[in-house]
Amino acid sequence: MLKSLNKSTVTKQEHPVKVLQFGEGNFLRAFADWAIDVANEKGVTNAGVVVCKPRPAAAGHQQVLNTLRTQDNMFHVCLEGVESGQPKREIRLVRSVADSINPYEEYAAYEGYILSPDLQLIISNTTEAGIRYEEDDDIYDLPPASYPAKMTSLLYRRYKHYEGDPTKGLVVICCELIEDNGTRLKEYVLRHAKRNNLEQGFVDWIEGSCSFCDSLVDRIVSGFPHDRADEMKQEIGYDDNAIVVGELYHLWVIGGDGYERAKELLPLDEAGLNVVFTPSVKSFRDKKVRILNGSHTGMVAIGLLMGCQTVLDAFNTPDIERFVKKMVTEDVLPMIYEDRAELEAFASGILERFYNPYIKHMLKSISLNSLSKWEARNYPTLLDNWIRLGRVAECECLTFAALMAYYGPNSGFQPDDTPEHIAYIRSNWNPDNLYSTVYKIVNESGIFTANFSEISGFESVVTMYLESIEQQGMAATLKRFLG
Protein backbone atom coordinates (compact mmCIF):
# COMPACT_ATOMS: atom_id res chain seq x y z
CA MET A 1 0.00 0.00 0.00
CA LEU A 2 1.50 3.30 -1.09
CA LYS A 3 1.67 6.11 1.42
CA SER A 4 0.23 9.51 0.64
CA LEU A 5 2.84 12.21 0.17
CA ASN A 6 2.15 15.03 2.61
CA LYS A 7 3.27 16.43 5.96
CA SER A 8 1.59 13.61 7.86
CA THR A 9 3.92 11.06 6.23
CA VAL A 10 7.05 13.15 5.62
CA THR A 11 8.89 15.63 7.81
CA LYS A 12 9.14 18.95 6.02
CA GLN A 13 11.32 21.73 7.38
CA GLU A 14 9.82 25.16 6.92
CA HIS A 15 11.98 27.85 5.30
CA PRO A 16 11.23 31.57 5.05
CA VAL A 17 9.73 32.34 1.67
CA LYS A 18 12.49 34.21 -0.13
CA VAL A 19 11.67 33.16 -3.70
CA LEU A 20 8.54 33.84 -5.75
CA GLN A 21 8.53 31.60 -8.82
CA PHE A 22 6.44 32.31 -11.92
CA GLY A 23 5.97 28.89 -13.48
CA GLU A 24 4.90 25.60 -11.94
CA GLY A 25 5.97 23.39 -14.83
CA ASN A 26 8.23 20.38 -14.92
CA PHE A 27 11.37 22.27 -15.83
CA LEU A 28 11.54 24.74 -12.96
CA ARG A 29 10.57 22.07 -10.45
CA ALA A 30 13.33 19.73 -11.66
CA PHE A 31 15.85 22.53 -12.00
CA ALA A 32 15.46 25.61 -9.79
CA ASP A 33 13.39 24.04 -6.99
CA TRP A 34 15.64 20.95 -7.04
CA ALA A 35 18.77 23.14 -6.84
CA ILE A 36 17.40 25.21 -3.95
CA ASP A 37 16.44 22.01 -2.15
CA VAL A 38 19.99 20.69 -2.49
CA ALA A 39 21.40 24.00 -1.24
CA ASN A 40 18.96 24.08 1.69
CA GLU A 41 19.98 20.57 2.70
CA LYS A 42 23.65 21.52 2.66
CA GLY A 43 23.03 24.64 4.73
CA VAL A 44 24.12 27.00 1.97
CA THR A 45 20.68 28.57 1.67
CA ASN A 46 17.57 28.82 3.84
CA ALA A 47 14.98 29.61 1.22
CA GLY A 48 11.39 28.60 0.65
CA VAL A 49 9.79 28.94 -2.77
CA VAL A 50 6.24 29.97 -3.64
CA VAL A 51 5.15 28.60 -7.00
CA CYS A 52 2.83 30.93 -8.87
CA LYS A 53 0.67 30.19 -11.90
CA PRO A 54 1.86 32.66 -14.56
CA ARG A 55 -1.14 32.76 -16.89
CA PRO A 56 -4.90 32.90 -16.33
CA ALA A 57 -5.77 30.20 -18.88
CA ALA A 58 -4.48 26.63 -19.31
CA ALA A 59 -6.35 24.12 -17.18
CA GLY A 60 -3.28 21.89 -17.09
CA HIS A 61 -1.41 24.47 -15.05
CA GLN A 62 -4.18 24.53 -12.45
CA GLN A 63 -4.10 20.75 -12.30
CA VAL A 64 -0.41 20.87 -11.40
CA LEU A 65 -1.14 23.37 -8.62
CA ASN A 66 -3.94 21.17 -7.28
CA THR A 67 -1.63 18.15 -7.24
CA LEU A 68 1.11 20.07 -5.46
CA ARG A 69 -1.30 21.32 -2.82
CA THR A 70 -2.59 17.80 -2.18
CA GLN A 71 1.01 16.76 -1.54
CA ASP A 72 1.85 19.78 0.64
CA ASN A 73 3.99 21.01 -2.26
CA MET A 74 6.41 18.09 -2.18
CA PHE A 75 7.44 15.95 -5.14
CA HIS A 76 10.23 13.64 -6.26
CA VAL A 77 12.77 14.45 -8.96
CA CYS A 78 14.33 11.44 -10.66
CA LEU A 79 17.54 12.14 -12.60
CA GLU A 80 18.81 9.48 -14.99
CA GLY A 81 21.69 9.13 -17.40
CA VAL A 82 25.08 7.68 -18.08
CA GLU A 83 28.12 8.79 -16.08
CA SER A 84 31.63 7.47 -16.80
CA GLY A 85 30.06 4.87 -19.06
CA GLN A 86 27.77 3.52 -16.33
CA PRO A 87 24.02 3.99 -15.85
CA LYS A 88 23.21 6.27 -12.94
CA ARG A 89 20.03 7.55 -11.37
CA GLU A 90 19.28 9.77 -8.40
CA ILE A 91 15.93 10.32 -6.73
CA ARG A 92 15.37 13.32 -4.46
CA LEU A 93 12.30 14.34 -2.51
CA VAL A 94 12.12 18.09 -3.10
CA ARG A 95 10.81 20.01 -0.10
CA SER A 96 11.86 23.56 -0.99
CA VAL A 97 8.41 24.64 -2.24
CA ALA A 98 6.45 26.22 0.59
CA ASP A 99 3.24 27.11 -1.22
CA SER A 100 1.59 27.12 -4.65
CA ILE A 101 -0.98 29.72 -5.63
CA ASN A 102 -3.15 30.93 -8.48
CA PRO A 103 -2.96 34.74 -8.30
CA TYR A 104 -6.04 35.06 -10.50
CA GLU A 105 -8.14 33.32 -7.86
CA GLU A 106 -6.12 34.01 -4.69
CA TYR A 107 -4.94 37.56 -5.12
CA ALA A 108 -4.80 38.34 -1.40
CA ALA A 109 -2.39 35.44 -0.80
CA TYR A 110 -0.35 36.50 -3.82
CA GLU A 111 -0.16 40.09 -2.61
CA GLY A 112 0.90 38.88 0.81
CA TYR A 113 3.92 37.20 -0.73
CA ILE A 114 4.90 40.07 -3.02
CA LEU A 115 4.84 42.48 -0.07
CA SER A 116 6.58 40.14 2.36
CA PRO A 117 9.74 41.52 3.98
CA ASP A 118 11.34 38.07 3.53
CA LEU A 119 11.01 38.09 -0.26
CA GLN A 120 14.32 38.57 -2.06
CA LEU A 121 14.20 36.84 -5.43
CA ILE A 122 11.90 36.20 -8.35
CA ILE A 123 12.55 33.29 -10.70
CA SER A 124 10.56 32.81 -13.89
CA ASN A 125 10.07 30.50 -16.81
CA THR A 126 7.06 31.80 -18.69
CA THR A 127 8.38 30.31 -22.00
CA GLU A 128 9.69 32.41 -24.86
CA ALA A 129 6.16 33.75 -25.39
CA GLY A 130 6.02 35.11 -21.84
CA ILE A 131 8.43 38.03 -22.07
CA ARG A 132 6.57 40.19 -24.57
CA TYR A 133 5.43 43.75 -24.28
CA GLU A 134 1.63 43.95 -24.43
CA GLU A 135 0.93 47.66 -24.60
CA ASP A 136 -2.72 47.49 -23.60
CA ASP A 137 -2.24 45.19 -20.62
CA ASP A 138 -3.63 46.96 -17.55
CA ILE A 139 -1.04 47.03 -14.77
CA TYR A 140 -3.84 47.75 -12.28
CA ASP A 141 -5.59 44.44 -12.89
CA LEU A 142 -5.37 42.04 -9.95
CA PRO A 143 -3.10 40.75 -11.41
CA PRO A 144 -2.36 41.77 -15.01
CA ALA A 145 -2.29 39.08 -17.70
CA SER A 146 1.19 39.35 -19.23
CA TYR A 147 4.35 38.68 -17.27
CA PRO A 148 6.03 42.08 -17.86
CA ALA A 149 2.87 43.92 -16.79
CA LYS A 150 2.50 41.59 -13.83
CA MET A 151 6.09 42.34 -12.84
CA THR A 152 5.52 46.09 -13.17
CA SER A 153 2.46 45.86 -10.95
CA LEU A 154 4.24 43.67 -8.42
CA LEU A 155 7.25 45.94 -8.11
CA TYR A 156 5.15 49.10 -8.03
CA ARG A 157 3.01 47.77 -5.18
CA ARG A 158 6.15 46.75 -3.31
CA TYR A 159 7.72 50.17 -3.94
CA LYS A 160 4.62 51.95 -2.59
CA HIS A 161 4.25 49.60 0.37
CA TYR A 162 7.83 50.19 1.54
CA GLU A 163 7.84 53.85 0.51
CA GLY A 164 10.80 53.36 -1.82
CA ASP A 165 13.02 51.64 0.77
CA PRO A 166 16.14 50.71 -1.26
CA THR A 167 16.66 47.56 0.82
CA LYS A 168 13.34 46.12 -0.35
CA GLY A 169 14.29 45.83 -4.01
CA LEU A 170 14.26 42.36 -5.58
CA VAL A 171 16.60 40.28 -7.73
CA VAL A 172 14.84 38.84 -10.78
CA ILE A 173 16.35 35.79 -12.50
CA CYS A 174 14.75 34.97 -15.85
CA CYS A 175 15.02 31.40 -17.18
CA GLU A 176 13.18 31.96 -20.46
CA LEU A 177 15.33 30.93 -23.43
CA ILE A 178 15.47 34.28 -25.15
CA GLU A 179 18.49 36.48 -25.59
CA ASP A 180 19.08 39.01 -22.79
CA ASN A 181 15.98 37.72 -21.00
CA GLY A 182 16.38 39.76 -17.82
CA THR A 183 17.51 42.86 -19.68
CA ARG A 184 14.46 42.64 -21.93
CA LEU A 185 12.07 42.14 -19.01
CA LYS A 186 13.49 45.23 -17.30
CA GLU A 187 13.05 47.21 -20.52
CA TYR A 188 9.38 46.21 -20.70
CA VAL A 189 8.80 47.04 -17.03
CA LEU A 190 10.18 50.53 -17.64
CA ARG A 191 8.02 50.90 -20.75
CA HIS A 192 4.92 49.99 -18.73
CA ALA A 193 5.99 52.50 -16.07
CA LYS A 194 6.34 55.23 -18.66
CA ARG A 195 3.07 54.40 -20.41
CA ASN A 196 1.22 54.56 -17.08
CA ASN A 197 2.95 57.75 -15.95
CA LEU A 198 4.37 56.16 -12.82
CA GLU A 199 6.48 58.50 -10.75
CA GLN A 200 10.20 59.00 -11.36
CA GLY A 201 10.91 57.73 -7.87
CA PHE A 202 9.68 54.28 -8.91
CA VAL A 203 11.86 54.31 -12.03
CA ASP A 204 14.85 55.29 -9.90
CA TRP A 205 14.03 52.48 -7.44
CA ILE A 206 13.91 49.97 -10.31
CA GLU A 207 17.23 51.23 -11.62
CA GLY A 208 18.99 51.44 -8.27
CA SER A 209 17.43 48.86 -5.97
CA CYS A 210 16.28 46.01 -8.25
CA SER A 211 18.35 43.70 -10.43
CA PHE A 212 17.25 41.85 -13.56
CA CYS A 213 19.68 39.01 -14.25
CA ASP A 214 20.13 37.42 -17.64
CA SER A 215 20.41 33.69 -17.19
CA LEU A 216 20.88 30.51 -19.17
CA VAL A 217 19.51 27.15 -18.03
CA ASP A 218 20.38 23.71 -19.28
CA ARG A 219 18.81 20.42 -18.28
CA ILE A 220 16.64 18.13 -20.37
CA VAL A 221 13.46 17.46 -18.40
CA SER A 222 10.99 14.95 -19.79
CA GLY A 223 8.35 15.47 -17.10
CA PHE A 224 5.94 13.05 -15.49
CA PRO A 225 6.80 9.41 -16.34
CA HIS A 226 3.35 8.35 -17.56
CA ASP A 227 4.53 5.00 -18.92
CA ARG A 228 6.25 3.91 -15.69
CA ALA A 229 4.62 6.00 -12.97
CA ASP A 230 3.28 3.00 -11.06
CA GLU A 231 6.71 1.37 -11.07
CA MET A 232 8.39 4.53 -9.81
CA LYS A 233 5.77 5.08 -7.13
CA GLN A 234 6.42 1.56 -5.84
CA GLU A 235 10.13 2.30 -5.79
CA ILE A 236 9.82 5.53 -3.78
CA GLY A 237 6.97 4.20 -1.65
CA TYR A 238 4.68 7.21 -2.09
CA ASP A 239 1.68 7.98 -4.27
CA ASP A 240 3.43 10.95 -5.85
CA ASN A 241 1.48 12.38 -8.79
CA ALA A 242 3.98 15.19 -9.43
CA ILE A 243 7.12 13.13 -10.10
CA VAL A 244 9.48 14.81 -12.55
CA VAL A 245 12.09 12.93 -14.60
CA GLY A 246 15.15 14.64 -16.06
CA GLU A 247 18.74 14.06 -17.03
CA LEU A 248 21.66 14.17 -14.60
CA TYR A 249 23.38 17.05 -16.39
CA HIS A 250 22.59 20.60 -15.31
CA LEU A 251 24.02 24.06 -15.89
CA TRP A 252 22.75 27.44 -14.69
CA VAL A 253 24.62 30.55 -15.83
CA ILE A 254 23.52 33.76 -14.09
CA GLY A 255 24.91 37.05 -15.32
CA GLY A 256 24.18 40.59 -16.34
CA ASP A 257 22.63 43.19 -14.08
CA GLY A 258 23.14 42.30 -10.42
CA TYR A 259 24.73 38.87 -10.87
CA GLU A 260 26.93 39.51 -7.82
CA ARG A 261 23.87 40.22 -5.69
CA ALA A 262 22.23 37.07 -7.04
CA LYS A 263 25.27 35.08 -5.95
CA GLU A 264 25.10 36.64 -2.51
CA LEU A 265 21.41 35.76 -2.07
CA LEU A 266 21.44 32.40 -3.83
CA PRO A 267 25.00 30.94 -3.68
CA LEU A 268 24.08 27.65 -5.31
CA ASP A 269 27.62 27.11 -6.53
CA GLU A 270 28.73 26.71 -2.93
CA ALA A 271 26.47 23.64 -2.69
CA GLY A 272 28.51 21.91 -5.40
CA LEU A 273 25.98 22.68 -8.13
CA ASN A 274 26.99 23.56 -11.68
CA VAL A 275 25.96 27.20 -11.33
CA VAL A 276 28.15 29.92 -12.83
CA PHE A 277 27.90 33.62 -11.89
CA THR A 278 29.45 35.81 -14.58
CA PRO A 279 29.15 39.34 -15.99
CA SER A 280 27.85 38.03 -19.34
CA VAL A 281 26.04 34.84 -20.37
CA LYS A 282 26.41 35.46 -24.11
CA SER A 283 29.12 32.93 -24.92
CA PHE A 284 27.31 30.23 -22.95
CA ARG A 285 23.98 31.18 -24.47
CA ASP A 286 25.02 31.22 -28.11
CA LYS A 287 26.41 27.72 -27.87
CA LYS A 288 23.70 26.13 -25.77
CA VAL A 289 20.58 27.75 -27.17
CA ARG A 290 21.57 27.56 -30.81
CA ILE A 291 22.92 24.00 -30.67
CA LEU A 292 20.76 22.19 -28.10
CA ASN A 293 17.50 24.14 -28.12
CA GLY A 294 17.75 25.09 -31.78
CA SER A 295 18.16 21.41 -32.64
CA HIS A 296 15.17 20.45 -30.50
CA THR A 297 12.94 23.11 -32.03
CA GLY A 298 14.31 22.50 -35.52
CA MET A 299 13.54 18.81 -35.51
CA VAL A 300 10.31 18.72 -33.50
CA ALA A 301 7.91 19.37 -36.40
CA ILE A 302 9.97 17.17 -38.73
CA GLY A 303 9.89 14.33 -36.22
CA LEU A 304 6.19 14.63 -35.46
CA LEU A 305 5.30 14.77 -39.16
CA MET A 306 7.34 11.59 -39.65
CA GLY A 307 5.57 9.74 -36.84
CA CYS A 308 8.22 10.03 -34.13
CA GLN A 309 7.10 10.38 -30.54
CA THR A 310 10.31 11.18 -28.64
CA VAL A 311 13.70 12.77 -29.20
CA LEU A 312 15.26 9.33 -29.08
CA ASP A 313 12.79 8.10 -31.73
CA ALA A 314 13.86 11.00 -33.93
CA PHE A 315 17.56 10.42 -33.46
CA ASN A 316 17.07 6.72 -34.15
CA THR A 317 15.64 7.77 -37.53
CA PRO A 318 18.78 8.01 -39.72
CA ASP A 319 17.57 10.87 -41.95
CA ILE A 320 16.56 13.04 -38.99
CA GLU A 321 19.84 12.35 -37.22
CA ARG A 322 21.79 13.26 -40.39
CA PHE A 323 19.72 16.41 -40.85
CA VAL A 324 20.27 17.71 -37.32
CA LYS A 325 24.01 17.11 -37.53
CA LYS A 326 24.11 18.80 -40.94
CA MET A 327 22.19 21.82 -39.60
CA VAL A 328 24.51 22.18 -36.62
CA THR A 329 27.67 21.74 -38.71
CA GLU A 330 26.74 23.92 -41.70
CA ASP A 331 24.40 26.58 -40.32
CA VAL A 332 24.99 26.91 -36.59
CA LEU A 333 28.67 26.41 -35.74
CA PRO A 334 30.09 28.80 -38.38
CA MET A 335 28.08 31.60 -36.75
CA ILE A 336 29.67 31.13 -33.32
CA TYR A 337 33.07 32.78 -33.08
CA GLU A 338 35.02 30.33 -30.96
CA ASP A 339 37.69 27.73 -31.67
CA ARG A 340 36.12 25.36 -34.20
CA ALA A 341 37.60 22.19 -32.72
CA GLU A 342 36.33 23.12 -29.26
CA LEU A 343 32.93 24.01 -30.69
CA GLU A 344 32.65 20.70 -32.49
CA ALA A 345 33.54 18.84 -29.30
CA PHE A 346 30.96 20.88 -27.40
CA ALA A 347 28.29 20.20 -30.03
CA SER A 348 29.12 16.49 -30.05
CA GLY A 349 28.67 16.36 -26.28
CA ILE A 350 25.32 18.11 -26.51
CA LEU A 351 23.99 15.89 -29.28
CA GLU A 352 25.07 12.78 -27.36
CA ARG A 353 22.53 13.79 -24.71
CA PHE A 354 19.79 13.18 -27.28
CA TYR A 355 20.62 9.46 -27.14
CA ASN A 356 19.99 9.19 -23.38
CA PRO A 357 17.90 5.98 -23.20
CA TYR A 358 16.54 6.90 -19.77
CA ILE A 359 14.88 10.14 -20.82
CA LYS A 360 11.58 9.86 -22.67
CA HIS A 361 11.52 13.41 -24.00
CA MET A 362 8.25 13.75 -25.86
CA LEU A 363 8.36 15.79 -29.05
CA LYS A 364 4.80 16.95 -28.38
CA SER A 365 5.97 18.47 -25.08
CA ILE A 366 8.90 20.20 -26.79
CA SER A 367 6.49 21.57 -29.40
CA LEU A 368 4.78 23.87 -26.86
CA ASN A 369 4.85 27.44 -28.21
CA SER A 370 7.05 26.40 -31.14
CA LEU A 371 6.41 29.62 -33.06
CA SER A 372 8.05 31.85 -30.47
CA LYS A 373 10.67 29.20 -29.73
CA TRP A 374 11.72 29.04 -33.39
CA GLU A 375 12.05 32.82 -33.51
CA ALA A 376 14.19 32.87 -30.36
CA ARG A 377 16.32 29.80 -31.07
CA ASN A 378 16.59 29.38 -34.84
CA TYR A 379 15.97 32.76 -36.44
CA PRO A 380 19.22 34.28 -35.05
CA THR A 381 21.22 31.60 -36.89
CA LEU A 382 19.26 32.28 -40.08
CA LEU A 383 19.86 36.03 -39.77
CA ASP A 384 23.58 35.68 -38.99
CA ASN A 385 24.10 33.47 -42.03
CA TRP A 386 22.52 36.15 -44.21
CA ILE A 387 24.33 39.12 -42.67
CA ARG A 388 27.78 37.52 -42.46
CA LEU A 389 27.82 35.22 -45.48
CA GLY A 390 24.99 36.45 -47.68
CA ARG A 391 23.45 32.96 -47.71
CA VAL A 392 19.99 31.72 -46.88
CA ALA A 393 20.52 28.92 -44.37
CA GLU A 394 18.74 26.06 -46.12
CA CYS A 395 18.48 23.75 -43.10
CA GLU A 396 16.81 26.44 -41.01
CA CYS A 397 14.44 27.18 -43.90
CA LEU A 398 13.43 23.54 -43.99
CA THR A 399 12.77 23.54 -40.23
CA PHE A 400 10.50 26.57 -40.67
CA ALA A 401 8.68 24.94 -43.58
CA ALA A 402 8.11 21.84 -41.45
CA LEU A 403 6.81 24.07 -38.66
CA MET A 404 4.34 25.71 -41.05
CA ALA A 405 3.17 22.30 -42.26
CA TYR A 406 2.72 21.17 -38.66
CA TYR A 407 0.63 24.27 -37.82
CA GLY A 408 -1.24 24.09 -41.11
CA PRO A 409 -4.74 22.62 -41.56
CA ASN A 410 -3.57 19.38 -43.18
CA SER A 411 -1.16 18.11 -40.52
CA GLY A 412 -3.62 16.14 -38.41
CA PHE A 413 -2.12 17.78 -35.29
CA GLN A 414 -3.47 20.38 -32.90
CA PRO A 415 -0.44 22.47 -31.90
CA ASP A 416 -0.14 23.67 -28.31
CA ASP A 417 0.29 27.38 -28.87
CA THR A 418 -1.53 30.71 -28.79
CA PRO A 419 -5.00 29.93 -30.22
CA GLU A 420 -5.12 33.20 -32.16
CA HIS A 421 -1.85 32.37 -33.91
CA ILE A 422 -3.03 28.91 -34.91
CA ALA A 423 -6.33 30.35 -36.12
CA TYR A 424 -4.54 32.97 -38.23
CA ILE A 425 -2.30 30.40 -39.91
CA ARG A 426 -5.17 28.06 -40.70
CA SER A 427 -7.63 30.71 -41.84
CA ASN A 428 -5.05 32.28 -44.16
CA TRP A 429 -3.83 28.96 -45.56
CA ASN A 430 -4.11 28.95 -49.36
CA PRO A 431 -3.10 25.57 -50.81
CA ASP A 432 -3.09 27.09 -54.30
CA ASN A 433 -0.66 29.85 -53.32
CA LEU A 434 1.60 28.73 -50.49
CA TYR A 435 3.99 31.62 -51.16
CA SER A 436 1.19 34.03 -50.26
CA THR A 437 0.47 31.92 -47.18
CA VAL A 438 4.08 32.03 -45.97
CA TYR A 439 4.41 35.74 -46.77
CA LYS A 440 1.34 36.64 -44.73
CA ILE A 441 2.36 34.52 -41.77
CA VAL A 442 5.86 35.96 -41.46
CA ASN A 443 5.14 39.56 -42.46
CA GLU A 444 1.52 40.40 -41.67
CA SER A 445 0.26 38.14 -38.88
CA GLY A 446 1.90 39.81 -35.89
CA ILE A 447 2.95 36.36 -34.68
CA PHE A 448 6.64 37.19 -34.96
CA THR A 449 8.56 40.26 -33.84
CA ALA A 450 11.50 39.65 -36.22
CA ASN A 451 11.68 41.45 -39.55
CA PHE A 452 11.87 38.51 -41.95
CA SER A 453 12.17 40.85 -44.93
CA GLU A 454 15.81 41.36 -43.91
CA ILE A 455 16.59 37.97 -45.46
CA SER A 456 16.08 38.16 -49.21
CA GLY A 457 14.53 35.02 -50.63
CA PHE A 458 13.51 33.49 -47.30
CA GLU A 459 9.82 33.18 -48.20
CA SER A 460 10.62 31.63 -51.58
CA VAL A 461 12.92 28.97 -50.13
CA VAL A 462 10.46 28.11 -47.37
CA THR A 463 7.63 27.89 -49.90
CA MET A 464 9.64 25.47 -52.04
CA TYR A 465 10.09 23.10 -49.10
CA LEU A 466 6.54 23.59 -47.84
CA GLU A 467 5.10 22.66 -51.24
CA SER A 468 7.21 19.50 -51.22
CA ILE A 469 6.09 18.56 -47.70
CA GLU A 470 2.43 19.11 -48.59
CA GLN A 471 2.66 17.17 -51.86
CA GLN A 472 5.26 14.46 -51.17
CA GLY A 473 5.30 14.21 -47.38
CA MET A 474 7.92 15.05 -44.79
CA ALA A 475 9.98 11.86 -45.10
CA ALA A 476 10.36 12.15 -48.88
CA THR A 477 11.18 15.85 -48.64
CA LEU A 478 13.85 15.24 -46.05
CA LYS A 479 15.41 12.38 -48.01
CA ARG A 480 15.59 14.51 -51.16
CA PHE A 481 17.04 17.41 -49.16
CA LEU A 482 19.83 15.23 -47.81
CA GLY A 483 20.62 13.89 -51.31
Side-chain angles (χ1 to χ4, degrees):
M1 181 70 178
L2 293 173
K3 293 181 288 186
S4 298
L5 180 58
N6 53 51
K7 290 179 182 178
S8 69
T9 58
V10 173
T11 301
K12 183 181 182 183
Q13 181 181 352
E14 300 298 330
H15 301 280
V17 172
K18 297 181 181 179
V19 181
L20 179 62
Q21 176 177 299
F22 286 93
E24 72 300 310
N26 293 316
F27 180 79
L28 281 184
R29 290 192 291 117
F31 187 80
D33 301 337
W34 167 87
I36 293 170
D37 191 72
V38 171
N40 282 344
E41 183 183 87
K42 294 189 176 183
V44 172
T45 55
N46 178 27
V49 180
V50 168
V51 170
C52 177
K53 181 180 176 183
R55 292 174 293 279
H61 295 275
Q62 185 60 47
Q63 183 177 349
V64 173
L65 288 186
N66 293 341
T67 300
L68 289 174
R69 290 167 173 172
T70 300
Q71 300 181 176
D72 286 329
N73 300 294
M74 292 181 284
F75 53 91
H76 290 83
V77 172
C78 177
L79 305 177
E80 301 175 304
V82 177
E83 194 171 276
S84 301
Q86 298 297 318
K88 181 179 178 181
R89 68 200 301 259
E90 300 174 354
I91 298 179
R92 165 174 287 271
L93 174 59
V94 173
R95 292 176 261 202
S96 57
V97 178
D99 198 1
S100 47
I101 59 173
N102 180 347
Y104 299 92
E105 297 178 0
E106 305 162 282
Y107 186 81
Y110 169 75
E111 185 175 52
Y113 285 120
I114 69 177
L115 299 181
S116 167
D118 291 330
L119 188 65
Q120 297 176 334
L121 296 127
I122 292 176
I123 295 173
S124 70
N125 184 18
T126 57
T127 79
E128 285 85 340
I131 300 184
R132 288 199 175 198
Y133 180 71
E134 303 291 345
E135 184 171 298
D136 295 328
D137 201 355
D138 187 355
I139 67 168
Y140 296 104
D141 279 351
L142 302 177
S146 70
Y147 180 50
K150 194 182 282 96
M151 185 58 59
T152 308
S153 172
L154 181 162
L155 292 173
Y156 187 59
R157 288 175 184 275
R158 190 171 176 87
Y159 165 80
K160 297 290 283 186
H161 182 77
Y162 289 106
E163 299 179 338
D165 183 343
T167 68
K168 293 301 187 290
L170 301 176
V171 173
V172 183
I173 304 176
C174 296
C175 298
E176 293 82 359
L177 287 175
I178 61 173
E179 193 165 0
D180 301 327
N181 42 25
T183 301
R184 194 177 302 184
L185 177 62
K186 179 180 179 180
E187 173 195 335
Y188 295 160
V189 167
L190 292 175
R191 283 175 66 179
H192 277 297
K194 182 177 181 180
R195 175 173 172 76
N196 288 275
N197 298 313
L198 302 184
E199 57 263 46
Q200 185 61 40
F202 172 63
V203 173
D204 294 341
W205 186 75
I206 290 291
E207 295 281 11
S209 302
C210 297
S211 300
F212 292 76
C213 296
D214 299 322
S215 98
L216 172 74
V217 295
D218 191 0
R219 165 171 275 167
I220 295 173
V221 175
S222 56
F224 186 78
H226 293 279
D227 59 335
R228 53 190 176 124
D230 290 341
E231 173 189 334
M232 293 189 70
K233 288 179 182 182
Q234 289 294 333
E235 179 182 0
I236 61 181
Y238 291 96
D239 186 22
D240 184 352
N241 292 299
I243 301 170
V244 190
V245 175
E247 65 174 338
L248 290 163
Y249 178 84
H250 71 282
L251 170 67
W252 197 351
V253 184
I254 300 173
D257 177 27
Y259 77 94
E260 292 162 316
R261 188 176 173 209
K263 176 176 171 55
E264 178 186 343
L265 296 177
L266 201 66
L268 300 175
D269 53 336
E270 296 177 16
L273 298 166
N274 192 19
V275 180
V276 178
F277 294 91
T278 178
S280 173
V281 305
K282 179 171 174 52
S283 63
F284 289 93
R285 184 191 184 281
D286 283 351
K287 290 188 293 186
K288 185 266 177 178
V289 173
R290 295 196 185 196
I291 297 171
L292 175 64
N293 302 104
S295 294
H296 270 160
T297 299
M299 75 176 175
V300 69
I302 294 173
L304 288 168
L305 292 171
M306 289 176 62
C308 300
Q309 299 296 315
T310 67
V311 171
L312 187 58
D313 288 343
F315 253 56
N316 282 335
T317 304
D319 282 349
I320 297 179
E321 179 191 41
R322 283 180 58 203
F323 171 76
V324 172
K325 290 181 176 179
K326 176 182 174 70
M327 178 176 71
V328 170
T329 300
E330 296 182 5
D331 289 356
V332 179
L333 296 188
M335 298 299 105
I336 302 175
Y337 290 152
E338 292 190 21
D339 180 82
R340 182 58 185 248
E342 292 182 4
L343 269 180
E344 289 176 351
F346 179 84
S348 177
I350 279 186
L351 296 181
E352 279 182 7
R353 292 160 61 192
F354 290 7
Y355 296 100
N356 188 340
Y358 303 100
I359 300 298
K360 192 170 184 179
H361 204 183
M362 304 301 294
L363 293 176
K364 195 68 172 66
S365 297
I366 298 173
S367 72
L368 171 69
N369 293 330
S370 280
L371 296 170
S372 59
K373 284 179 178 175
W374 192 93
E375 182 177 6
R377 302 172 178 186
N378 299 75
Y379 180 77
T381 293
L382 183 79
L383 182 61
D384 282 351
N385 271 273
W386 177 253
I387 292 173
R388 298 176 188 177
L389 302 178
R391 67 184 289 266
V392 178
E394 296 272 344
C395 291
E396 295 291 7
C397 289
L398 179 58
T399 68
F400 190 80
L403 195 63
M404 293 298 96
Y406 174 69
Y407 276 72
N410 306 315
S411 71
F413 289 94
Q414 182 57 44
D416 190 357
D417 211 318
T418 304
E420 293 79 7
H421 294 168
I422 300 170
Y424 183 93
I425 291 171
R426 295 188 169 181
S427 64
N428 285 276
W429 195 269
N430 182 354
D432 299 319
N433 190 344
L434 287 176
Y435 177 84
S436 172
T437 300
V438 172
Y439 186 89
K440 284 184 177 180
I441 291 169
V442 300
N443 294 301
E444 298 177 3
S445 66
I447 293 173
F448 302 101
T449 59
N451 180 11
F452 284 79
S453 63
E454 292 181 282
I455 304 169
S456 178
F458 171 73
E459 294 95 338
S460 297
V461 176
V462 169
T463 300
M464 175 181 66
Y465 292 132
L466 181 57
E467 288 175 344
S468 177
I469 295 168
E470 292 288 286
Q471 295 166 14
Q472 306 298 324
M474 188 70 245
T477 299
L478 185 60
K479 189 169 291 294
R480 187 163 50 252
F481 178 87
L482 293 170

